[in-house]
């Protein structure tokens, strides 16, 4: 990773405006058509959340703003992306797990299964230290939700997506999803385009 001079980046004005704001996070909501992911889950026995996380990583990797993140009072440039998922533990608790973003679905699946199994077995979170900008993701599949506005703690500025139960009607499946991001990292237009790209990645996935 590399510390940037904010004044020498396209985020200079946003850095000045939002770094000291009491609530610099913005949340967008979008309903995705996830029919292809549901079909692929059934056809190949794959985990739905793994498939969605892979699509999230693919869409984010095509958005340059994801590689830059405000950390403390600095602006940091990263070389790689990861998606963080929540793992249910044997004792009823939870822990988080970072999965490196990969262009290959097979590679991402191998990493996802191995790393989440490690977290479930050890009960300890798995964090990718080093040059990774981590995208948070959390699923609440027990119930239908329209989205969520996550807490802002002031030290976790990473983008974050939350979703609930897939909704099915006839032969189609839909999923409302919320996307929270720090306004220093990107503007609403960048975030909206990311959500459009996420939908395109889902449509493009091979069933």
């Amino acid at each position: 990773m590399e510390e940037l001079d904010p004044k020498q980046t396209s985020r200079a004005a946003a850095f000045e405006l939002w770094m000291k704001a009491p609530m610099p996070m913005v949340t967008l909501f979008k309903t995705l058509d996830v029919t292809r992911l549901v079909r692929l889950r059934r056809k190949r026995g794959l985990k739905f959340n793994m498939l969605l996380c892979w699509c999230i990583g693919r869409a984010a990797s095509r958005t340059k703003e994801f590689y830059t993140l405000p950390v403390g009072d600095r602006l940091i440039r990263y070389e790689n992306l990861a998606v963080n998922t929540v793992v249910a533990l044997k004792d009823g608790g939870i822990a988080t797990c970072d999965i490196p973003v990969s262009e290959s679905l097979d590679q991402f699946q191998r990493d996802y299964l191995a790393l989440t199994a490690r977290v479930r077995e050890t009960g300890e979170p798995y964090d990718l230290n080093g040059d990774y900008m981590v995208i948070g993701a959390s699923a609440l599949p027990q119930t239908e939700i329209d989205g969520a506005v996550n807490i802002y703690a002031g030290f976790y500025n990473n983008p974050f997506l939350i979703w609930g139960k897939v909704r099915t009607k006839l032969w189609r499946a839909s999923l409302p999803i919320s996307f929270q991001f720090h306004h220093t990292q990107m503007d609403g237009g960048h975030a909206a385009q990311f959500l459009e790209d996420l939908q395109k990645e889902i449509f493009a996935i091979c069933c």
Side-chain angles (χ1 to χ4, degrees):
M1 61 184 181
E2 173 191 5
E3 182 174 354
L4 302 176
D5 178 357
K7 295 180 180 179
Q8 303 301 316
T9 73
S10 62
R11 304 307 299 162
F15 190 90
E16 289 296 321
L17 282 171
W18 301 110
M19 284 301 291
K20 295 182 180 179
M23 181 54 195
M25 309 301 284
V26 180
T27 304
L28 298 186
F29 298 84
K30 183 177 177 62
T31 297
L32 300 172
D33 183 334
V34 294
T35 306
R36 282 181 172 265
L37 300 188
V38 171
R39 290 175 180 171
L40 190 56
R41 178 192 66 187
R42 293 171 178 168
K43 182 178 180 180
R44 294 181 52 186
L46 304 177
K47 293 181 178 294
F48 177 86
N49 284 343
M50 183 277 295
L51 291 169
L52 183 54
C53 285
W54 182 68
C55 290
I56 289 169
R58 291 260 299 179
S61 70
R62 287 149 177 71
T63 307
K64 68 181 181 65
E65 284 74 18
F66 272 93
Y67 291 89
T68 304
L69 183 73
V71 179
D73 59 356
R74 302 178 300 162
L75 193 63
I76 303 298
R77 164 77 182 183
Y78 295 84
E79 292 298 325
N80 305 293
L81 300 179
V83 178
N84 176 279
T85 188
V86 177
V87 179
L89 303 179
K90 297 176 181 179
D91 63 2
I94 60 172
T96 58
C97 181
D98 293 346
I99 316 295
V101 169
S102 172
E103 285 291 311
S104 165
L105 174 57
D106 289 339
Q107 181 62 55
F108 187 83
Q109 179 187 215
R110 285 193 293 271
D111 291 337
Y112 183 99
L113 294 177
L115 295 173
T116 54
R118 169 179 170 170
V119 170
R120 192 173 296 109
E121 183 64 30
T122 64
E124 298 293 330
Y126 179 78
D127 300 320
L128 278 171
N129 297 318
D131 205 20
Y132 285 86
M133 202 296 297
V134 179
I135 305 160
S138 181
L140 303 169
Q142 304 88 348
T143 188
E144 292 182 359
I145 62 171
D146 293 326
V149 177
N150 197 28
I151 61 172
Y152 173 59
F155 56 83
Y156 184 81
N157 295 333
N158 300 58
F160 201 90
L161 295 99
I162 301 177
W163 59 89
K165 186 177 182 180
V166 173
R167 303 176 183 183
T168 56
K169 185 176 181 180
L170 298 177
W171 296 280
R172 310 302 298 178
S174 63
L175 183 69
I177 194 167
S178 58
F179 173 48
Q180 179 175 292
F181 58 95
H182 197 291
H183 214 330
T184 297
Q185 184 178 31
M186 66 183 76
D187 296 324
H190 302 126
Q193 185 60 55
F194 160 69
L195 291 173
E196 290 294 324
D197 291 342
L198 174 55
Q199 182 64 85
K200 291 176 184 177
E201 291 293 339
I202 294 170
F203 282 151
I205 200 167
C206 180
C207 292

